[in-house]
Amino acid sequence: AMQLCRVYHDLAADDEKWEKKVTKILQYINSLLSSLVKAEYWDLALRLFLQAALVCDLMGIQSAETAGYEFVSQAFAIYEEEVSDSKAQLVAISLIIATFERSINFSEENHEPLRSQCLRASSKLLKKPDQCRAVSLCAHLYWSGKNREMAGKPMEEGKKVLDCMKKAVRISNQCMEPSVQVQLFVELLNKYIYFLDNGCNDVSEVMIAQLIGKIREDMPGLEASEATSQITSHFKTTLEYITAQHSMSSLTREG
């Protein structure tokens, strides 16, 4: 049914009734997926609702946006009501965020509450490391996310990106396990560098230097282990990238 929507969309120039046909197919898809929910195939239903939302987004018509919003809302409902395992929750919210980041035809009226809901859901995950990672993912919604009013251009709201990243750092500081905390710092360092590389002027070299300093301060206190070795290697590779790609070699020197 989803593929049929794409077929009618491609034939739009030759079929003046294609929008009505697509609308009926989307109603049929919603009925099928609702049956999966009733049968308690939660994971499959969530993934298919998100896939259907992307198909709606490709259509670029009002009825499809309405259906797409409903599909994302249904995915959120499954996530909030039926997904209880912490690992499954992180996977589910990551899928929702990634799906929403790819969408381009939601109006700002619909886009804003959905991205806000992504951030709220990420902040409520049970485990702090999961919270940190999901909140940092939400930063991408405010940078590379698109809506219909932007006409395909990314939002690039640097202040919102920075708010998400600062919140992720605060959450990582609340982690009790030292190795997990340092691992999160290194992951967030790479996120900061990503946004700096992509023109986010709200991310500064000073912030990056502070995070590097924090990692260097905490790294010696980690117990020797395979995990510590991987964290050290990741950090070293990150510093090498900074030195090679940016005029920030002073940030990567110790002392």
Side-chain angles (χ1 to χ4, degrees):
M2 295 184 200
Q3 185 60 39
L4 190 56
C5 285
R6 294 188 178 96
V7 171
Y8 282 130
H9 179 264
D10 292 341
L11 296 174
D14 301 317
D15 186 352
E16 61 182 18
K17 295 183 178 180
W18 77 274
E19 290 188 22
K20 291 183 178 180
K21 293 176 181 179
V22 166
T23 299
K24 289 184 178 180
I25 294 171
L26 293 176
Q27 292 171 348
Y28 175 65
I29 290 172
N30 186 54
S31 175
L32 288 177
L33 296 184
S34 297
S35 297
L36 284 178
V37 172
K38 291 179 181 178
E40 301 184 0
Y41 289 104
W42 312 123
D43 182 67
L44 179 60
L46 185 147
R47 291 170 184 269
L48 288 176
F49 270 126
L50 294 176
Q51 187 176 342
L54 287 175
V55 170
C56 290
D57 193 65
L58 289 173
M59 299 300 104
I61 56 177
Q62 181 58 50
S63 61
E65 181 186 358
T66 301
Y69 188 91
E70 177 64 20
F71 290 152
V72 175
S73 298
Q74 290 287 354
F76 259 118
I78 293 171
Y79 165 79
E80 292 173 345
E81 298 171 11
E82 308 299 345
V83 183
S84 57
D85 178 77
S86 60
K87 289 183 179 180
Q89 284 182 335
L90 179 60
V91 170
I93 193 61
S94 298
L95 285 172
I96 292 172
I97 293 169
T99 299
F100 196 46
E101 185 187 1
R102 290 176 58 189
S103 67
I104 61 173
N105 280 318
F106 278 112
S107 64
E108 175 61 12
E109 181 182 0
N110 287 329
H111 200 278
E112 191 281 329
L114 287 176
R115 63 178 183 262
S116 296
Q117 191 171 1
C118 286
L119 184 56
R120 284 195 301 271
S122 298
S123 302
K124 293 179 181 179
L125 288 168
L126 178 62
K127 296 182 178 180
K128 292 297 180 181
D130 294 344
Q131 282 185 25
C132 175
R133 291 181 173 112
V135 167
S136 69
L137 278 179
C138 288
H140 292 274
L141 295 178
Y142 293 98
W143 187 252
S144 52
K146 304 175 182 69
N147 59 40
R148 190 165 63 241
E149 285 81 353
M150 298 298 293
K153 296 180 181 179
M155 298 182 68
E156 296 187 352
E157 293 187 9
K159 186 179 182 300
K160 291 286 189 179
V161 168
L162 192 57
D163 287 344
C164 289
M165 293 304 299
K166 286 182 176 180
K167 184 171 186 175
V169 172
R170 289 196 300 271
I171 295 170
S172 65
N173 274 312
Q174 297 170 18
C175 293
M176 301 299 292
E177 180 61 42
S179 63
V180 173
Q181 188 178 83
V182 175
Q183 181 181 356
L184 291 172
F185 286 154
V186 175
E187 291 176 14
L188 292 175
L189 174 61
N190 279 268
K191 289 276 189 183
Y192 270 112
I193 294 168
Y194 168 84
F195 288 116
L196 183 67
D197 282 350
N198 284 274
C200 183
N201 295 326
D202 291 83
V203 172
S204 69
E205 294 183 6
V206 173
M207 297 172 188
I208 292 174
Q210 290 173 342
L211 197 49
I212 290 174
K214 177 63 174 173
I215 294 168
R216 282 200 170 119
E217 179 183 335
D218 295 348
M219 190 82 78
L222 301 184
E223 295 181 2
S225 67
E226 179 63 27
T228 298
S229 177
Q230 291 177 359
I231 294 169
T232 302
S233 178
H234 190 187
F235 183 49
K236 180 182 177 181
T237 302
T238 301
L239 294 182
E240 290 173 350
Y241 174 84
I242 294 173
T243 302
Q245 300 296 325
H246 299 273
S247 300
M248 295 190 293
S249 58
S250 60
L251 302 184
T252 64
R253 296 195 203 103
E254 295 188 51

